[in-house]
Amino acid sequence: MRYIMILSWAVIAFFTSTRSVQACYGGAPLGMGGAFVAQAEGTMAIYWNPAGLGFSGERGDFSITQTSPLQTINYSRFLGFSLTNDEVGWGFATTELADWHPMKRWLQFSMGFRVDEKNAVGVTYRQEEQRNGRSSISWDWGWQYRSGPFSAGLLVQDASEDWVNLRPGVAYHLQKATIALSLYDMGNRNGEFGAMVGVEFRPWEFMALRIGDYLGNTTLGMGFTWRNVKMDWSFLSDGLGDAHHVTVGIQF
């Protein structure tokens, strides 16, 4: 365990340099530095990797995420719903963006399904509404692989744009911990290539503690579970505006 953690942080030093970025959303994903492509499921899979809906099991999810402050972060509020069974899942979400951002809102529809015991694929259709009244369409495509304690994934984000964001990721799941790595903009089309690294430690079944590095910015997080209710908090330091994300979710 100790050597894996040392290796994870060594990868950070190799791939990242501190810079200001506009982060994504979700208390649990961002507590782990955004290293969530390989293990995304439920409503968080709508953004992080729609293929994860195929591995979400038989359940329904509802979650809401609120961000504050919004000086640097461009994602204000996320409201998502997903319904899944053992092989296929559907997700719907709306994302409100900060007042200063040219985009006003995203409307998202996702589908993910298992192609065999270890592989799933997914797609997200996203309608982006601008503040000038115009709208545009974008697509995300995802793949996820799970075998024992190991999982991997690939998110092809903004597939209809000139700039396609390739985001591969891996994760290793121990009994009480998860260590994950994702790469951002692997093709370096936008000059933002870097790594997202995160560790989640679960000392008890009802609690999770998280730390990560989001493209050179430290993130911290904590999560609590009570029956079918989950609450996750994350703090994004310095270049991410010292922002807080709070996510409340219900499973049914």
Side-chain angles (χ1 to χ4, degrees), residues 5-243:
M5 293 182 68
I6 292 172
L7 178 61
S8 297
W9 292 107
V11 171
I12 298 174
F14 179 78
F15 279 111
T16 69
S17 59
T18 301
R19 55 188 180 271
S20 178
V21 295
Q22 297 175 342
C24 313
Y25 50 70
L30 290 176
M32 296 183 68
F36 216 67
V37 171
Q39 70 265 37
E41 60 183 40
T43 58
M44 289 296 109
I46 296 172
Y47 175 87
W48 292 95
N49 188 346
L53 291 168
F55 280 117
S56 296
E58 189 168 348
R59 74 192 211 198
D61 274 0
F62 171 83
S63 75
I64 182 169
T65 297
Q66 181 67 48
T67 304
S68 180
L70 292 170
Q71 286 90 341
T72 302
I73 305 302
N74 56 342
Y75 296 91
S76 173
R77 182 181 298 109
F78 167 82
L79 186 67
F81 170 80
S82 64
L83 189 63
T84 61
N85 61 31
D86 288 336
E87 295 183 354
V88 65
W90 306 82
F92 307 87
T94 177
T95 303
E96 303 289 336
L97 285 91
D99 291 341
W100 51 263
H101 197 274
M103 292 287 181
K104 180 179 181 181
R105 175 185 302 113
W106 290 353
L107 300 176
Q108 297 147 281
F109 171 73
S110 298
M111 178 183 177
F113 62 93
R114 299 260 296 273
V115 295
D116 57 35
E117 183 179 347
K118 297 181 179 180
N119 293 274
V121 295
V123 60
T124 294
Y125 164 86
R126 182 168 58 251
Q127 180 172 319
E128 303 171 342
E129 299 180 358
Q130 302 179 17
R131 297 191 185 278
N132 61 12
R134 298 180 180 179
S135 64
S136 58
I137 293 174
S138 187
W139 297 85
D140 297 342
W141 302 89
W143 162 76
Q144 205 173 81
Y145 170 86
R146 299 190 183 190
S147 179
F150 176 78
S151 62
L154 174 66
L155 176 64
V156 182
Q157 195 174 39
D158 299 324
S160 62
E161 303 290 338
D162 293 335
W163 167 55
V164 178
N165 190 348
L166 298 179
R167 302 173 63 172
V170 294
Y172 191 78
H173 309 273
L174 303 170
Q175 183 176 1
K176 290 194 173 185
T178 296
I179 301 168
L181 165 69
S182 295
L183 299 182
Y184 183 85
D185 191 15
M186 189 174 180
N188 203 28
R189 296 283 302 274
N190 204 39
E192 288 286 350
F193 173 66
M196 303 171 175
V197 180
V199 177
E200 178 184 82
F201 175 58
R202 299 175 292 275
W204 300 284
E205 186 175 348
F206 65 90
M207 176 185 287
L209 304 174
R210 306 179 180 106
I211 186 170
D213 186 290
Y214 188 111
L215 302 180
N217 300 274
T218 300
T219 70
L220 301 171
M222 181 179 296
F224 295 95
T225 302
W226 182 73
R227 295 187 178 179
N228 63 334
V229 178
K230 294 186 65 177
M231 184 174 72
D232 295 295
W233 161 83
S234 63
F235 173 73
L236 286 61
S237 68
D238 299 334
L240 297 173
D242 291 337

